[in-house]
Amino acid sequence: AQTVTQSQPEMSVQEAETVTLSCTYDTSESNYYLFWYKQPPSRQMILVIRQEAYKQQNATENRFSVNFQKAAKSFSLKISDSQLGDTAMYFCAFRGSNYKLTFGKGTLLTVNP
Amino acid sequence: EPEVTQTPSHQVTQMGQEVILRCVPISNHLYFYWYRQILGQKVEFLVSFYNNEISEKSEIFDDQFSVERPDGSNFTLKIRSTKLEDSAMYFCASSATGLAGGIAIDNEQFFGPGTRLTVL
């Protein structure tokens, strides 16, 4: 079974600064996808970024980028130029050869003005 | 932009009562999912559904739970006899495709806004 671990329950960052959220996972599969989801206070689940395991290039979406280290089974999220609207719970998620998403416990990110 | 919708947004029920949570997936999607999130905890997979049958279910999805696609648009989750520990946020999700050649292909799961279930 796959597991996803987020070791930082809470983090804070000053507006306009950069923050990195950590995620590690465990799997025996070679083909899989990794995701970061954002959950603001409204509790809506919003996809931030995704990474295909077979791609060596790290995914980037505007201010969001990942550092995917397949051998280390690490998938961290970097948020550049943090904005107040980035305040949310961030979940790392894994999807393997079946359909389901396996989530980590989440990191609560607070962006301070 | 198409989106997954869920009703109601908040459901309050008495322990032992049946509840039905409703979801309308994105119209051309074929794979449907239910997840739940107990307050303060991580999101957990409950069940996936394709071609009018369950594809996979978790250990949480016991005999008290059932899913149905009663028509061409709705996807429902029924809890037959609710317990206090069923109180959670329930998320429906859908995706366009699932497997190709035995490998999960790139298919984003779009989540609905969730239904908050409170069991008293």
Side-chain angles (χ1 to χ4, degrees):
Chain A
Q2 292 84 14
T3 58
V4 177
T5 302
Q6 293 179 250
S7 58
Q8 305 151 316
E10 294 186 39
M11 291 192 73
S12 63
V13 63
Q14 291 300 121
E15 197 175 4
E17 293 188 347
T18 296
V19 64
T20 298
L21 308 183
S22 301
C23 172
T24 58
Y25 58 94
D26 190 25
T27 183
S28 58
E29 300 188 41
S30 56
N31 294 310
Y32 51 88
Y33 295 84
L34 296 162
F35 305 85
W36 279 97
Y37 280 87
K38 171 184 177 181
Q39 188 180 45
S42 67
R43 300 190 74 181
Q44 172 84 50
M45 295 292 287
I46 303 165
L47 180 65
V48 174
I49 198 166
R50 64 176 164 220
Q51 174 79 43
E52 293 90 339
Y54 62 85
K55 289 186 178 178
Q56 292 187 340
Q57 187 173 6
N58 289 323
T60 299
E61 289 286 342
N62 301 315
R63 298 183 295 107
F64 299 88
S65 61
V66 298
N67 183 6
F68 173 48
Q69 301 290 326
K70 190 172 183 179
K73 295 191 172 76
S74 170
F75 182 61
S76 60
L77 173 70
K78 186 171 82 170
I79 306 174
S80 304
D81 186 24
S82 297
Q83 299 175 359
L84 295 178
D86 294 334
T87 293
M89 183 72 88
Y90 287 82
F91 291 99
C92 178
F94 171 99
R95 193 190 72 222
S97 59
N98 55 21
Y99 305 104
K100 69 179 185 181
L101 290 168
T102 300
F103 289 87
K105 290 186 175 181
T107 296
L108 178 60
L109 176 67
T110 302
V111 181
N112 298 309
Chain B
E1 186 174 329
E3 58 183 17
V4 177
T5 59
Q6 290 185 243
T7 55
S9 56
H10 190 191
Q11 173 91 44
V12 181
T13 189
Q14 295 290 325
M15 190 170 57
Q17 295 295 305
E18 174 184 287
V19 294
I20 298 176
L21 310 183
R22 290 183 167 79
C23 168
V24 179
I26 294 173
S27 62
N28 65 340
H29 285 184
L30 301 175
Y31 293 81
F32 315 113
Y33 315 82
W34 283 101
Y35 293 84
R36 83 169 185 192
Q37 184 184 31
I38 295 172
L39 186 64
Q41 298 187 24
K42 66 178 178 179
V43 179
E44 299 173 291
F45 168 79
L46 289 178
V47 65
S48 59
F49 190 87
Y50 169 69
N51 199 26
N52 286 318
E53 62 183 26
I54 291 174
S55 305
E56 185 171 353
K57 60 183 180 179
S58 72
E59 60 276 8
I60 302 169
F61 195 88
D62 61 22
D63 292 343
Q64 292 299 313
F65 291 88
S66 62
V67 289
E68 193 177 34
R69 189 151 162 83
D71 52 42
S73 60
N74 289 285
F75 179 52
T76 62
L77 174 69
K78 182 194 291 187
I79 309 175
R80 290 189 183 82
S81 178
T82 50
K83 308 184 191 81
L84 295 176
E85 54 264 36
D86 292 328
S87 293
M89 195 78 157
Y90 288 81
F91 292 100
C92 173
S94 69
S95 63
T97 50
L99 288 179
I103 298 172
I105 61 175
D106 188 6
N107 55 328
E108 177 183 346
Q109 291 184 23
F110 291 83
F111 281 78
T115 292
R116 179 174 296 181
L117 176 65
T118 301
V119 182
L120 303 176

